[in-house]
Amino acid sequence: MNSHPPPLQSSYLPIYPPRFRQNDKIQQSQQQQQKIRQTKRRKKRFLPTLKGFRSFLYHSSFYLFILIITVLLVASAWGIGEQAIRNSGQRNWNVFVLVAAYVALFYIILRTMPKPYIPTKQIDLPKSVAKHVATEYSRTAVIAHISQATTGQQEGWGRPGTKWEDKHFRTYILSTIPIMKQTLCPIAPSTASPLSLQPLLDAASSINDNGAIRLFVNSYAKIIARARYGRKEPTQADAEAVEKVVEVVLLTLEVKRRRERDMGK
């Protein structure tokens, strides 16, 4: 087989895809416009503005006052030190007091010095940056406010700001059992179980008050049983009910004993 040489490529043949000179002109014009914008921005940076003048005045006055205060402190220390050295009788003591006073002064200044200043206002930042900082600060404040606890209560514990604050209801309810036993039945039967509330019920039944104390003691025994064996934590209502029962029983028995004493006299 005869091999034919490849055809010669002419420089006059069209190129695919074809290139349009109009696109090149558009790109050149865009590049020129971009260069013009960059030069304008550079010129604006070096032009004096009212905002820049305020910022310069603010910072320069700050450093000027620091320099004045430093000069005054050094001058006053120099004058007082010179007088202390001239007083030959108490020279060492005067110098010691002077040094101690200035050390205490600088210590107080360093302790009371505020935290480093964070620029957040338009006087120190561009308007867009200051607006962005203010927006983010407001968003952070809102998130922090929403994330705070609103109820402030844990199950089985008293609410903050009330008389039940930091009190565990179950512990409080069970702690009233010795008081009730001491009030109703000071001498408990030896056969009774330490956990049994039957002596309280028997003592309440023996009181001649038309069964009022018996009703209070029955409700008290139910709350005690829930506090001992219930999975659910007692509520504030249970603690308040126990408190009222104890107060009523103590007051009723105290009044009854006074009447018996008066009748005995």
Side-chain angles (χ1 to χ4, degrees):
M1 295 178 65
N2 296 328
S3 60
H4 298 282
L8 297 175
Q9 294 182 356
S10 176
S11 59
Y12 298 99
L13 294 176
I15 300 173
Y16 294 95
R19 296 179 181 177
F20 299 97
R21 294 183 179 180
Q22 187 176 2
N23 293 336
D24 296 338
K25 292 181 179 180
I26 293 173
Q27 291 179 358
Q28 290 178 0
S29 63
Q30 290 179 353
Q31 291 177 359
Q32 290 178 357
Q33 290 178 1
Q34 188 175 3
K35 289 181 180 179
I36 293 170
R37 291 174 184 173
Q38 290 178 356
T39 53
K40 287 182 178 180
R41 289 177 183 175
R42 291 175 183 175
K43 290 180 180 180
K44 286 183 178 179
R45 290 179 183 177
F46 296 101
L47 290 176
T49 58
L50 181 61
K51 184 178 180 180
F53 178 73
R54 287 180 179 177
S55 179
F56 172 76
L57 184 63
Y58 174 78
H59 290 88
S60 60
S61 61
F62 176 74
Y63 290 113
L64 178 63
F65 282 120
I66 289 179
L67 180 62
I68 293 173
I69 292 172
T70 304
V71 171
L72 292 176
L73 286 174
V74 173
S76 62
W78 178 267
I80 297 173
E82 187 178 1
Q83 292 181 3
I85 293 173
R86 287 180 181 178
N87 191 357
S88 59
Q90 298 179 351
R91 180 183 302 175
N92 296 332
W93 174 251
N94 292 337
V95 172
F96 174 75
V97 171
L98 177 63
V99 173
Y102 271 88
V103 169
L105 176 63
F106 283 110
Y107 177 75
I108 293 171
I109 291 173
L110 293 176
R111 286 292 300 272
T112 57
M113 185 178 295
K115 296 180 180 179
Y117 176 72
I118 300 176
T120 58
K121 298 183 179 180
Q122 295 184 9
I123 192 172
D124 298 321
L125 297 172
K127 186 177 181 180
S128 58
V129 178
K131 187 176 180 180
H132 179 71
V133 171
T135 303
E136 293 299 324
Y137 179 79
S138 301
R139 184 183 301 175
T140 305
V142 170
I143 293 172
H145 177 72
I146 294 174
S147 62
Q148 290 180 355
T150 55
T151 57
Q153 184 181 8
Q154 187 177 359
E155 186 179 3
W157 291 82
R159 290 183 180 180
T162 62
K163 70 175 184 178
W164 300 101
E165 184 177 1
D166 295 334
K167 286 187 179 181
H168 189 219
F169 295 140
R170 190 187 298 273
T171 305
Y172 170 76
I173 291 171
L174 296 178
S175 66
T176 59
I177 296 176
I179 300 174
M180 292 290 287
K181 286 185 176 181
Q182 184 66 27
T183 304
L184 290 173
C185 49
I187 303 174
S190 59
T191 57
S193 174
L195 298 177
S196 178
L197 298 178
Q198 190 61 36
L200 295 179
L201 299 174
D202 295 339
S205 300
S206 62
I207 299 174
N208 297 324
D209 61 345
N210 298 325
I213 296 296
R214 174 74 183 191
L215 293 176
F216 282 109
V217 174
N218 285 337
S219 61
Y220 174 79
K222 292 179 181 179
I223 297 174
I224 292 296
R226 289 199 301 267
R228 277 179 175 174
Y229 310 111
R231 290 185 177 181
K232 188 177 180 181
E233 290 287 338
T235 61
Q236 183 175 340
D238 296 333
E240 291 176 350
V242 168
E243 184 182 24
K244 290 180 181 179
V245 168
V246 173
E247 289 179 357
V248 169
V249 171
L250 292 176
L251 183 60
T252 303
L253 293 180
E254 183 66 24
V255 171
K256 185 179 179 181
R257 288 170 184 171
R258 287 181 182 179
R259 288 179 180 177
E260 291 177 353
R261 290 175 187 173
D262 294 339
M263 291 176 64
K265 292 180 180 179

